[in-house]
Every structure is written in structure tokens, then in C-alpha cells.
Amino acid sequence: MVFSSTIFLFGFLPLFFAIYFLVPSLAVKNIVLLAFSLLFYAWGEPVYVFLMIGSIAVNWLAGLGISKTNQRFSKKTVLVLAIIANLLVLGFYKYQGFLAFNINRALGEEFLAELELALPIGISFFTLQAITYIVDVYRGRVVAQKNPLYMGMYIAMFPQLVAGPIVRYADIEHAIDHRVVTMDGFTQGLRLFIVGLGKKVLLANIAGILADSLLMKEAADIGFIGCLSGVLAYTFQIYFDFSGYSDMAIGLGKMMGFDYPRNFNYPYISKSATEFWRRWHMSLGGFFRDYVYIPLGGNRVKQPRFVFNTMVVWALTGIWHGAAWNFMLWGIYWGALILFEKFFMMKVLNKLPSFVSHVWCIVLFIFGWLLFSVTGLQNVLQWTAALFGAYGLTGTSTLWELQSWSYISLIPVMIIGSLPWAPWLRKKIQLWAEGASDCNVIAAPEKGNEAVPVCQVQIARSVSVIPARMRVVTMVNIAVDLALIAILVLSSFSIVSSSYNPFIYFQF
Amino acid sequence: MSLVSPEYKSNDTGFTGVAMKSRNLIFAVIVCIFLLGPFGVFVIGSGGVDLPSWLTAEDSAYLTGGLVETNIEESLNLDGYASKTLQSALENKIGNNIPVKAQVIYMNGALQRQCIEASNALFNWESYPAFFGSAYCYIPRQDRILPIPQRMTQETEQAFQNYIKHLDEFSKAHPDIDFVTYFAPGWDTALYSPLNDLTCESISYAKVQEIVDSALEDKGGSTNSKYLFAQYNGDQDEAKYLADYYRFDHHWNNRGAARAYYQIAESLNLPQRDAGYCFDIAGEPYSGAYARSASMNVAEPFVGVSNGLDSTIVDYRNHEWIMGEHVRYFDAGSLERHYNAYTLYSETLEGATIKTGNGDKNVLLLSDSYGGALQYFLPLSCNSLVQGISLSMGDTSSDTLEQILANCDADIDAVVFVAHSSNISGLSRRKPDFFAFE
């Protein structure tokens, strides 16, 4: 089941919230959430749902095992065994075919059977989530959850189950037993859910039509314009799809009283590779930083070891995205860039005008998406050659046939949608309403989630607002609500029409 | 000031936290009502209230390939769950209860088309896709919808050559039977299509004609096998062609079929009779296959025909069927006529034998859906007409032509093949043994 489907919007969601809000106690709400989360997963994975239940059981027992023993060696043993168990399951289902294929090719014989297993949806996400739990229990950051149903609720929670964000247990530990759902919180979450739905259905899916139609073609058939359009379309598709899904997940969590962390912070405004990865898929970056990079020593080691640590993290980041060499190459590409910037480029970038740094970063992430989306080294080389004009402007096609021209009217929308105009405008209006003279606003902070809360779609009205200006604030908020309803309606039109609605997380 | 938990107190008594809470409540209620739409339609419909078809998903059936029958009780078991048939049944149930679904589909297409038109303002192409990713394009100058033509490939060219070669051999082995193949310009080889200029090496009617002419030159051809193409000459005949073929469907109308009848009758030396008069059936607009596939809410007059076959009795495999009255068409509901007029009006006599005694020859008509319209013209000039759908993509019969001829009640004097080009080339791929003979 996906969020952008009729069954979810018109069936699952109303039914879930009806029951969730009907039951009075938080304990029963948690059980309802678990039950619906398992139903959500089982809808598309009627067999693999038992694999997830098994994962819940193993990690719950591991957490208890770690917490119950006082001996460090025993704690560590349970931790290591549990991590291995998690990684074995992930490795088996996700990488068995890939490993077998490459080993067999290297040996020149069929040494290992290529099982061609169907990948359980979301296994990459809930496995990492489970690992954060048992590591945090080991580190003493969280208390082991004694209730297996609550443990199941955390791992299986349907908002972030199939496409993130990777929510750490610490983020929701308090909320399990103490959350309060208010009308304000519910509608904040609902508004963000609609924003995410619009991003996914109205922007990502449309960009995906062009991206998919061009990416499956030979570079020689579509030439420079076709390849550039294809990779640009993919750049927008993957951002709006991923960030839209995260918005929907965070919004749904908020509707239930959970505060999930922000996952995307307008990455396309970045001025360096380093900044890009502080804004893109922040929960994944945080996982690899806190659970791989820092345990390896981070940057508090000698330089060769630091380089090694960085490249290991980025190779793992790449291969996490998919069992194929192009993902590994993509990860190594980013690792190398980050090192390059750290050792050489950053001083230069800091002195350059912002515009130049932006262009530098844009070229980096567009080429990165080329590596990510085009499979096979030969194809990557051909596509790169096409971008330098090796196959002419349109290859063997006509410009009309490429169809990329038909999307031109959407380019301004997509560019604007990638920029932090909404939080900037919101802050500007807020400060104006409060009569602040200096409206110097940094809309999207450079690091982390701290400054701008992700669920604040509406303009808040504080005690400082000048009464005469409050009416404007109210009118703006009403306009925002009307726009959101329009987005919901248009998104529903698209979903009902069975318009193109790819699920790009099947390899996760 | 915390942005996460804003304080709603204010100095202005007109705007209090109550206003914010009311607005939140109204917003939530509106969204909830919207999301409960299908549930509401289901409940009202189950309660015995007869909702108008436009308010439910019923009108959308033709746009979505039909409303899928759902049987949730049947799949409410472990097998149904494991095989996902239960999940599909529930999803289809919701899909079948989406309110105003047809209008939603049309509106979605229209909105996307507006974005595409805005993009096209920079390029001024003569045609543009009906929606993002659509294989169908709208041509404003002609107010017409056409599919994007396929590219001509070596395999396609070979398939045409194989058809001619095998038919040629068969016809030489059966010198007492005349064979005519009529290449109907439709679907992938529509005439006067600006899409041929916009695409590279596309299959076009002219290109097919070239291939056939070239193959006939090589083979020398047999005297009892002829290949006919529609006769529309140059730009001056564009209006004539557009009047003969539906603009929002891949079929010819009865005017186009009548024109083909005259050509076929002439080539077979059949007596040419007055095909009758074709007329727009008033008040019954037809929204054909192209319109549905393009999600465009457009329609055009459906063209009926009245000729000397009106009162002919047809031997329709143990049924009596009165020709010319087009019973299925007039008995159908208006919604079905709106979307399915061609099938109802013209494709009712599949497998029938029409005995008229209007000529000397017994004719076998093998076709795709184009043949349906010809059944109301060819019997004007022959003793009897037998019709089969061997050239239709959906025909699964493995009978060879020789077997079909043997199964006919009367001795066949002429075989007429009528189809659009890709179904003719496709015959050699779908049924490689069709022209096998002993």
C-alpha cells in the first residue's frame, strides 16, 4: 500500500483515524497503531509481514537482553549478535543475488545459486531503525522497551515504514506513553501530509513520466537534450518523491501525536557537497554518522584513517540504496567529493560568490543522479558523452518526439518548489505582523533540524502580533488552507485517474 | 517565541484562539468529508438510493476499461490474502465508489493538457500529447486525436513482405478464388496526420504503400490477388478524408466504409450498387476509443447508414437477425451508445452469413473491426457474404485460411481482407501458418 493510492486515502486513513480517536486510552491507541501498521505492511507483503514480526521479536529480545545484564562483555555480545542478525536478514534478501552474480562471474562458474528473492518492501528502513534501537539501548540513551507490542509499534509504524525517515527510538520514546494529540497538532500534521501528497503526486509523478521515458532509452537515440532532460527530470522526481513521502510520514506522525525529525531541508539550495548532505535525507546521514562513522573514529583520527572512515561510510551509503555497482559508485563519488572539498575546495568555495558555489553544487548533484539512475558503466559513459554533445542535440529522435518540451511550463513550478520560499515568506509575514523592523530571515538553516520546525505550515500568531496586522495574518492562513484543499483535490484527481504513480522505493 | 506551540492570545478581541481553533476544525472537517466521499457513495448506494450515473463511478466504466466486479466475500480467506486477490477486491471496491469519477478523469486530463498547451506556446507544434506521458495527441487544427505513430522497423517491413509473399503463394494455388486486401488507413497509418512530420521514420500510409508496391514488383504478383489503398489525393482531399473517418476513434465511419466498398466491388468485378445514404444520427454523439484513451471529453456525430439491406433477413448461426435495423445499437442505453457506438452499430454480425442473392459471387470477408461496417455494403453486390475476424488482434483461432474456406457452406468466389495496416502485417507474426495449404 502506498500513501498516494485510493485505498490508502479513502479507505485505510479514514478508518484508522476513526478508530484511533475513538479509543480513549493511549495504550489501546498504541495497539491500534500496531495493528494497522501490520495491516498496512501485510497489504503489499502478505508473507513478508511475518519476517517483520520476526525482526520485531528479535530486536525486542535483544533490547531486553542488553538491558538486563550488567556485564559489559555480555551486553556487547548481545548487541553484536543482534546487529549481525539484522544485517544478515537485510543482506540475504537485498544482496544475495548481487553477491552471487558477482562471485560467480569472478570465478567463472555458478558457485552460488542466484536466488532472485523478492525484496521485502522497506526492509532497509526498518532494519536500520531496529539497529538504532538496540545500539541506543546499549549506549544507555534509551530504556529498553518491555512491551513487545510497543516495540512492534515503533518498528512497524506505518507512516515511516516503507520510505523513512529513519526514526530513532529516542525520538518517540517519551511519546509512546505521554503524547497528547491536540486539534492544532492534528491539523498541523494534516496540512503537512497534504503538502507531501502534492509534492509526490503533482510534481514527482509528472517529472517521473519524463524521467522514466528518457532514462530507458539509449543515449545515442536522444542526444544532448534528451539526456539532459532525463537527468533533470529525475533530479526533480527523486527530490519531490522522497521529500514528499517524508512530509507525509512526518505529517501522519504529527496527526497521531509523534514528532518525527525533519528529513529534507531544501538540499537543492546547497553550495557544496558537504552542505548538500546536511540537507538531503538527514535521517540516513545521521544514522551513518552516529552508528558507523563515529564508532570508526570519525575525524578524531589520523588523516589516512579519516579518509578510510569517510570512504567506508559513503560506500555503505551507496550500497544501502541498492544492490548494484552504480549505487556503490554513486556513494564513492560523494565520499570523494566531500573529501576533496574538505582538503582543497572549501576554502575556494567560501571565497567565491554564492551563485558560483550554487552552480558547483548543482552540477555535482545532477551528475550524481546520473550515476544513481543509469545502470551499467557503459551507459553512464554514453550518457556523459551525450551531455557533452557526442550524439548531437536530439540523437536519432526529433525534438518533438523527446517530449521534454511539453514539461517546460512546469520547470518554474519545480524550481520554486525546491526553494525555501515557504518558510522564508512565513517568517517574513510573522516578523512584519510583529512589527519587527529588521526582517533578515534565514529560512533554511545550514545544519540539522533545530531552527525551523517541520510541521509549521501555518503562520503562528503570538502575543507580539500587532492587532491591526492580525487580520492579514488570518487571511494569509485562510488562503494557505484553501490552497491545501486545492492540492488535496488535484492530487486525488491524479490518483483516481490512475495517472502515473511509480513507487521508487522497491529496492529499499 | 516558540513556533511549535504558538500562543493564541491576542490584544484584539476580534481574533482569539477560538478563531484559530475554529479554522482548524473547519479545515479538518472539510478534508475528512472529502476523504469519506467513496464511503458515502457506497453507503447511499447500498441503502437502495439510485444515484445518477454521473455522480458515481458508473460513467467512468468506459474510460477505465470497465468497472471491475468485486467479490470480497469470495476472497476473504487465507488464499485470497496470500495471493492478494482480497486486497485487489477491496481496492476495486473503493475504485468503483469514487464519486464523479468520469469527470475527475476528464478534469485531470484537461489540467495536464493546459500545462502542455502552455509549454507548446513556445514551440507552436501542430500537435501535442493529450496528457503527460500519453501515447495520444491532440491536433487542434483538425480537432482530432491520433496516436503517436510507431517507428518503421526492419521487422515490420519484413512482416508486410511476408504477408504479400504468403498470400501470393496461396492465391496461385487457388486460381479459382479472387483475393483482395484493402489496407484501411487508421490507427497507426492515419492520413493527413501532422505526427508523421513530427516523428522520425514513423510508419505511414505512404510508406506501407511503398513497401507493398516494392514487394509486388519483386514478386511479379499473381493475377488473382490485388492490394488496394484508400484513394485520397493530396491536400484537397483532406476534408473528404476527415469526413470519412471518425476524429476521436480509430475506425472509419459509414462514409469511409462505403468508399472502400466501391473500390473493392470494382476490383472484384462485382456489380456496384448504390451504397445508400449516410447520415449523422441526431442527438447521439460518439466518444470513440481515441477520446477515451486521451481522457478527453469530446464527441462527434455518429454516422448511420440506410440502404437496400434494411429489411434483409440474415442467417446468423441459428439466430434470425434483421439487417439494417441495428437492433443492438438502438436497444443499448445512451451511455453505452455514447462510448461504444461503432461496436453496437457495426460489429453485430461477426461470424454471420448474409444471404442476399444480389450478385453471383459468394464472398468471404476476413477483417478486424473495420470489416463490421463493410458487412452493410458488400452484400449489396454479392450472393452471400461470410464474415470472420481472422485479422483482429484479439482473434485466438488457429484455423488456416484453407480450413476457413472449407468450413463455409457455399463455395467461396472471393476473399476480401480488410484491416488497418498493423493488423495486416501482424497477421504473419500472430498466425505464421495462416496461409498454409496442402
Side-chain angles (χ1 to χ4, degrees):
Chain A
M1 199 188 295
V2 296
F3 295 157
S4 53
S5 63
T6 52
I7 183 68
F8 181 81
L9 283 180
F10 301 115
F12 182 92
L13 197 63
L15 183 63
F16 167 71
F17 278 112
I19 297 175
Y20 186 80
F21 287 121
L22 273 174
V23 298
S25 83
L26 201 54
V28 181
K29 282 189 195 316
N30 289 341
I31 307 302
V32 167
L33 177 53
L34 169 64
F36 271 82
S37 297
L38 290 175
L39 172 64
F40 179 88
Y41 193 74
W43 195 268
E45 299 284 11
V47 175
Y48 281 149
V49 67
F50 296 102
L51 178 71
M52 189 171 69
I53 292 171
S55 170
I56 291 168
V58 164
N59 287 290
W60 172 69
L61 286 170
L64 283 181
I66 291 170
S67 66
K68 287 223 182 296
T69 177
N70 291 322
Q71 292 185 6
R72 190 180 167 79
F73 178 75
S74 303
K75 277 182 187 297
K76 202 160 197 170
T77 305
V78 175
L79 172 71
V80 168
L81 286 174
I83 290 175
I84 289 172
N86 277 296
L87 292 178
L88 271 177
V89 170
L90 176 64
F92 178 70
Y93 282 98
K94 191 165 179 176
Y95 301 107
Q96 193 279 339
F98 173 69
L99 285 170
F101 172 79
N102 284 285
I103 289 171
N104 292 343
R105 197 159 78 159
L107 294 175
E109 60 176 76
E110 200 174 316
F111 182 70
L112 290 172
E114 292 173 46
L115 297 177
E116 294 181 7
L117 299 163
L119 183 65
I121 294 172
I123 190 171
S124 302
F125 288 101
F126 70 72
T127 300
L128 293 201
Q129 204 156 289
I131 289 175
T132 67
Y133 167 73
I134 52 175
V135 172
D136 284 350
V137 168
Y138 173 80
R139 287 174 175 171
R141 289 198 186 136
V142 298
V143 175
Q145 175 57 252
K146 292 186 177 57
N147 188 331
L149 298 177
Y150 288 6
M151 182 66 194
M153 180 195 75
Y154 160 64
I155 288 185
M157 221 183 295
F158 73 85
Q160 88 277 5
L161 178 59
V162 294
I166 298 166
V167 176
R168 301 188 196 184
Y169 187 74
D171 293 330
I172 59 122
E173 184 181 22
H174 181 77
I176 289 176
D177 292 313
H178 301 98
R179 67 186 181 278
V180 175
V181 183
T182 61
M183 175 56 81
D184 184 54
F186 177 81
T187 50
Q188 277 186 20
L190 183 58
R191 289 183 178 102
L192 187 64
F193 175 81
I194 294 172
V195 167
L197 184 69
K199 276 182 176 178
K200 160 67 181 164
V201 175
L202 301 178
L203 297 179
N205 285 357
I206 301 289
I209 294 171
L210 181 64
D212 288 352
S213 74
L214 292 173
L215 286 169
M216 67 185 209
K217 294 194 168 121
E218 299 288 329
D221 288 341
I222 58 178
F224 169 77
I225 292 177
C227 289
L228 183 63
S229 315
V231 81
L232 281 178
Y234 188 80
T235 299
F236 284 124
Q237 178 195 9
I238 195 163
Y239 170 64
F240 288 120
D241 204 302
F242 225 156
S243 68
Y245 236 88
S246 290
D247 287 345
M248 286 193 273
I250 296 167
L252 285 170
K254 187 70 179 177
M255 288 162 76
M256 291 183 259
F258 293 102
D259 282 308
Y260 295 165
R262 177 188 284 274
N263 209 16
F264 289 85
N265 192 12
Y266 304 97
Y268 287 170
I269 67 169
S270 303
K271 299 193 207 68
S272 65
T274 311
E275 185 185 353
F276 180 82
W277 279 98
R278 289 198 191 117
R279 293 176 177 276
W280 180 276
H281 203 175
M282 297 190 290
S283 63
L284 181 73
F287 171 86
F288 278 107
R289 180 193 63 227
D290 295 340
Y291 299 97
V292 181
Y293 181 67
I294 290 175
L296 285 175
N299 60 2
R300 294 179 187 182
V301 291
K302 294 198 169 105
Q303 201 173 83
R305 177 63 190 228
F306 163 68
V307 170
F308 172 79
N309 293 345
T310 303
M311 292 314 292
V312 163
V313 162
W314 283 102
L316 289 176
T317 301
I319 205 69
W320 176 87
H321 281 81
W325 289 116
N326 66 301
F327 295 115
M328 173 88 82
L329 182 62
W330 175 82
I332 291 171
Y333 164 80
W334 281 111
L337 277 172
I338 283 168
L339 287 172
F340 176 68
E341 281 183 356
K342 183 168 176 64
F343 291 132
F344 307 108
M345 195 67 185
M346 198 53 85
K347 292 171 206 162
V348 175
L349 286 173
N350 288 339
K351 288 176 188 161
L352 288 172
S354 284
F355 169 72
V356 177
S357 311
H358 274 306
V359 170
W360 157 256
C361 192
I362 287 170
V363 169
L364 291 185
F365 64 67
I366 287 176
F367 188 73
W369 292 133
L370 175 67
L371 294 176
F372 193 84
S373 58
V374 175
T375 50
L377 183 62
Q378 193 175 2
N379 284 334
V380 169
L381 292 171
Q382 285 173 349
W383 272 66
T384 308
L387 289 172
F388 284 95
Y391 304 109
L393 276 179
T394 60
T396 60
S397 306
T398 63
L399 178 62
W400 186 92
E401 269 178 314
L402 294 178
Q403 295 291 299
S404 36
W405 57 270
S406 61
Y407 295 78
I408 281 183
S409 63
L410 296 178
I411 292 177
V413 178
M414 301 227 179
I415 291 174
I416 291 168
S418 312
L419 300 174
W421 61 270
W424 180 86
L425 195 62
R426 188 168 58 237
K427 189 71 179 169
K428 275 284 211 193
I429 293 174
Q430 190 143 5
L431 290 173
W432 168 81
E434 292 168 0
S437 54
D438 181 8
C439 293
N440 186 20
V441 174
I442 299 173
E446 292 193 3
K447 292 185 185 180
N449 311 315
E450 307 88 4
V452 180
V454 65
C455 273
Q456 190 62 40
V457 176
Q458 293 266 297
I459 299 169
R461 292 165 46 218
S462 71
V463 292
S464 318
V465 174
I466 298 169
R469 296 182 178 180
M470 203 162 334
R471 194 180 290 272
V472 173
V473 172
T474 302
M475 295 312 294
V476 169
N477 281 335
I478 290 174
V480 167
D481 278 354
L482 290 173
L484 289 173
I485 290 170
I487 288 172
L488 176 64
V489 169
L490 291 175
S491 301
S492 302
F493 280 10
S494 188
I495 292 166
V496 165
S497 304
S498 301
S499 290
Y500 195 69
N501 191 22
F503 184 69
I504 64 175
Y505 312 107
F506 64 90
Q507 61 205 4
F508 301 152
Chain B
M1 178 188 64
S2 164
L3 295 177
V4 175
S5 304
E7 299 292 330
Y8 295 120
K9 296 174 193 166
S10 162
N11 296 331
D12 184 339
T13 54
F15 296 95
T16 64
V18 172
M20 179 71 142
K21 285 176 184 161
S22 302
R23 193 154 42 75
N24 281 339
L25 184 63
I26 292 169
F27 178 77
V29 165
I30 291 172
V31 171
C32 288
I33 289 173
F34 180 81
L35 294 180
L36 287 171
F39 179 68
V41 169
F42 170 71
V43 165
I44 295 171
S46 302
V49 175
D50 201 15
L51 293 168
S53 62
W54 63 266
L55 189 59
T56 65
E58 194 183 329
D59 271 11
S60 73
Y62 288 95
L63 301 177
T64 56
L67 293 182
V68 183
E69 288 295 320
T70 60
N71 195 334
I72 295 167
E73 291 80 11
E74 213 173 78
S75 44
L76 196 61
N77 49 53
L78 213 55
D79 279 339
Y81 159 76
S83 63
K84 298 189 195 176
T85 49
L86 173 63
Q87 291 88 314
S88 294
L90 287 164
E91 287 172 10
N92 291 331
K93 192 73 178 172
I94 289 188
N96 291 348
N97 283 283
I98 300 285
V100 291
K101 191 172 179 180
Q103 295 311 314
V104 166
I105 293 171
Y106 282 136
M107 219 174 300
N108 185 63
L111 288 167
Q112 291 195 9
R113 206 156 37 252
Q114 281 182 353
C115 294
I116 296 171
E117 283 172 19
S119 301
N120 193 36
L122 292 171
F123 298 91
N124 218 22
W125 302 115
E126 231 190 311
S127 176
Y128 49 82
F131 51 82
F132 289 115
S134 174
Y136 295 83
C137 295
Y138 182 61
I139 305 163
R141 179 177 65 82
Q142 298 171 331
D143 188 24
R144 183 177 170 201
I145 300 169
L146 283 176
I148 297 174
Q150 312 266 313
R151 282 204 180 182
M152 179 60 84
T153 62
Q154 195 65 22
E155 289 78 21
T156 304
E157 204 167 319
Q158 188 63 50
F160 280 115
Q161 288 163 352
N162 287 345
Y163 174 86
I164 290 166
K165 176 184 161 202
H166 295 140
L167 177 55
D168 198 55
E169 286 165 0
F170 190 94
S171 65
K172 281 177 181 160
H174 297 78
D176 51 332
I177 302 176
D178 290 324
F179 297 88
V180 167
T181 300
Y182 187 93
F183 291 82
W187 190 62
D188 53 344
T189 52
L191 289 173
Y192 303 102
S193 166
L195 293 172
N196 291 120
D197 293 329
L198 294 171
T199 52
C200 219
E201 294 172 12
S202 54
I203 297 174
S204 67
Y205 202 59
K207 182 71 184 168
V208 172
Q209 203 161 355
E210 251 178 60
I211 294 170
V212 170
D213 289 343
S214 171
L216 289 176
E217 266 179 37
D218 292 345
K219 304 260 175 289
S222 69
T223 54
N224 59 334
S225 178
K226 291 176 186 161
Y227 301 87
L228 302 179
F229 288 85
Q231 289 169 348
Y232 297 93
N233 301 308
D235 291 345
Q236 69 268 21
D237 281 351
E238 178 175 328
K240 195 197 299 180
Y241 173 80
L242 291 176
D244 288 349
Y245 283 75
Y246 288 112
R247 289 174 289 119
F248 307 132
D249 190 66
H250 59 293
H251 291 111
W252 51 24
N253 60 40
N254 281 306
R255 295 188 191 98
R259 208 180 289 280
Y261 152 71
Y262 288 126
Q263 269 185 275
I264 294 168
E266 187 186 19
S267 77
L268 287 174
N269 292 321
L270 300 177
Q272 289 193 38
R273 304 273 153 74
D274 180 7
Y277 70 94
C278 297
F279 56 95
D280 293 347
I281 299 179
E284 295 289 346
Y286 174 41
S287 188
Y290 288 164
R292 295 196 299 276
S293 299
S295 294
M296 288 186 71
N297 193 6
V298 290
E300 58 195 313
F302 186 77
V303 178
V305 64
S306 180
N307 59 24
L309 290 172
D310 287 8
S311 57
T312 304
I313 307 295
V314 174
D315 173 9
Y316 178 43
R317 296 285 181 262
N318 302 322
H319 294 86
E320 281 216 355
W321 200 275
I322 302 183
M323 280 269 298
E325 290 188 0
H326 306 283
V327 173
R328 272 185 65 192
Y329 177 82
F330 290 107
D331 275 356
S334 62
L335 186 69
E336 202 185 349
R337 279 203 296 277
H338 181 69
Y339 287 115
N340 209 18
Y342 185 88
T343 303
L344 293 169
Y345 198 89
S346 304
E347 291 187 20
T348 58
L349 298 172
E350 183 184 306
T353 300
I354 305 165
K355 294 175 182 166
T356 60
N358 286 333
D360 300 328
K361 295 189 181 178
N362 299 312
V363 175
L364 172 64
L365 171 64
L366 296 177
S367 68
D368 57 10
S369 55
Y370 278 71
L374 270 180
Q375 287 178 270
Y376 292 88
F377 296 106
L378 279 174
L380 292 168
S381 303
C382 55
N383 184 49
S384 71
L385 180 80
V386 183
Q387 198 250 350
I389 55 163
S390 304
L391 269 66
S392 175
M393 215 184 317
D395 180 45
T396 53
S397 161
S398 56
D399 285 348
T400 63
L401 177 56
E402 203 161 58
Q403 287 167 334
I404 294 171
L405 286 166
N407 288 337
C408 291
D409 293 336
D411 290 336
I412 297 296
D413 301 298
V415 180
V416 177
F417 297 99
V418 174
H420 62 75
S421 311
S422 61
N423 274 349
I424 292 176
S425 66
L427 181 68
S428 58
R429 284 186 281 232
R430 286 194 315 275
K431 302 182 185 182
D433 297 326
F434 184 74
F435 291 113
F437 59 91
E438 288 175 17

